[in-house]
Amino acid sequence: PRCDTTLTLHQGLKSLQCHHCGFRKAKPPACPDCGSLALQAQGFGTERLEEGLNLSFPDAVCIRVDSASTRGRDSLGRHLEKMANRPGILVGTQMLAKGHDLPNLRFVGVVGIDESLFSSDFRAHEKLAQLLVQVAGRSGRSQHAGHVLLQTHHPDHPMLSRLLAGGYPAFAATELDERRLAEMPPYRFMALLRCESVHLDNVKLFLEEASGLLAQARQRLGVSVHSSGALPAGMPRRAGKHRWQLVLTGASRHDIQQLLAAASQGLHALKSARKTRWSIDVDPMDF
């Protein structure tokens, strides 16, 4: 490379590019440090977006709004004061979509929505639709019309078509029908037993023993609750720890709570529970 900037792998997995000087080279067949073949494409974080926009629009004020840049009290207001009435660009996370009145905002771009379109979380479409409606409401609030651009490889996705053609009510009606047919919330109730450990065997052993305890309690109580068995979490490994989970589904929240109450003491008594970090989440919002 021509400079000290770290090379980053592009979404197409065909080349690496330095975002500072533009230098490119072909993608390596394996990691040059460890030899692993598990190379994954990485998206653009707010800091890299800010750097690229500053290079492309040197005359505009570019302000990054995320948890790192807005930690202090009234820090967002101070950032916006830098822009005043000059042309400017705001780069931020979801916090920009909620509760901010920006009367001169005319254009909103949402970068990389495909992860939500194809997420394993059954609520991903709901969360994405809410975000898009909220962020669209930030633009065109004053005298000027607002425009929203979505970056996706799947512009004809049915979810996007329904949302853009009929708004949130049309999306919600179809989404509720799909949830009813699939027996998912709000037509069924759920609980999530999460578990994580640096050792995968500890995670699997705990969830296997927990599944057995829950099965015994279910038979003893006679409640109608289905168990998924041990499954990897949506992000199966984070911060060096293996993350697995077990999903309980039932027609009654009372049945699930009764089952968990009956099995709770046994779960705490398991030796494998001491070797893992685990928790129970009733009506989970995040998988």
Side-chain angles (χ1 to χ4, degrees), residues 52-234:
L53 289 168
N54 277 326
L55 291 174
S56 300
F57 304 96
D59 297 330
V61 179
C62 186
I63 298 174
R64 177 167 51 89
V65 180
D66 55 22
S67 58
S69 64
T70 57
R71 290 177 180 172
R73 184 178 180 181
D74 299 327
S75 55
L76 178 58
R78 291 195 297 270
H79 282 311
L80 295 178
E81 288 176 358
K82 299 176 185 177
M83 189 176 296
N85 293 321
R86 293 178 292 168
I89 304 171
L90 294 175
V91 180
T93 56
Q94 295 183 19
M95 66 171 59
L96 268 180
K98 303 176 182 179
H100 303 299
D101 184 15
L102 305 170
N104 294 323
L105 187 64
R106 304 185 191 183
F107 174 81
V108 172
V110 185
V111 180
I113 65 173
D114 290 350
E115 182 178 349
S116 296
L117 288 178
F118 298 97
S119 171
S120 59
D121 184 352
F122 72 93
R123 287 194 177 93
H125 285 183
E126 176 186 357
K127 295 175 182 176
L128 176 60
Q130 292 173 350
L131 174 64
L132 295 181
V133 170
Q134 288 172 338
V135 77
R138 299 304 103 197
S139 65
R141 296 172 68 90
S142 185
Q143 302 175 1
H144 307 285
H147 301 274
V148 179
L149 180 68
L150 310 180
Q151 184 196 43
T152 175
H153 290 93
H154 307 275
D156 297 325
H157 193 284
M159 178 265 175
L160 292 177
S161 299
R162 288 193 297 269
L163 182 64
L164 297 178
Y168 196 85
F171 159 78
T174 305
E175 184 75 6
L176 285 170
D177 284 341
E178 293 177 355
R179 297 271 190 93
R180 177 179 54 81
L181 292 173
E183 296 187 338
M184 303 289 280
Y187 301 98
R188 303 282 283 186
F189 298 92
M190 286 185 170
L192 193 63
L193 175 59
R194 310 175 193 266
C195 179
E196 66 178 23
S197 173
V198 293
H199 301 293
L200 181 58
D201 291 341
N202 291 344
V203 171
K204 291 184 175 180
L205 177 60
F206 170 72
L207 288 180
E208 180 181 348
E209 294 179 346
S211 183
L213 281 176
L214 290 167
Q216 295 174 10
R218 182 170 59 246
Q219 185 176 9
R220 186 169 66 253
L221 296 172
V223 294
S224 178
V225 177
H226 175 264
S227 172
S228 68
L231 297 170

Side-chain angles (χ1 to χ4, degrees), residues 1 14 24-27 37 76 118 135 144 172-173 191 203 254 272:
K14 296 180 180 179
R24 282 179 179 267
K25 75 172 185 177
K27 182 199 72 172
L37 301 177
L76 178 58
F118 298 97
V135 77
H144 307 285
V203 171
H254 177 265
S272 57

Side-chain angles (χ1 to χ4, degrees), residues 222-253:
V223 294
S224 178
V225 177
H226 175 264
S227 172
S228 68
L231 297 170
M235 186 181 295
R237 188 174 175 86
R238 185 173 68 184
K241 295 183 179 180
H242 297 276
R243 304 165 70 243
W244 282 51
Q245 60 194 25
L246 183 150
V247 183
L248 298 174
T249 309
S252 166
R253 183 185 287 112

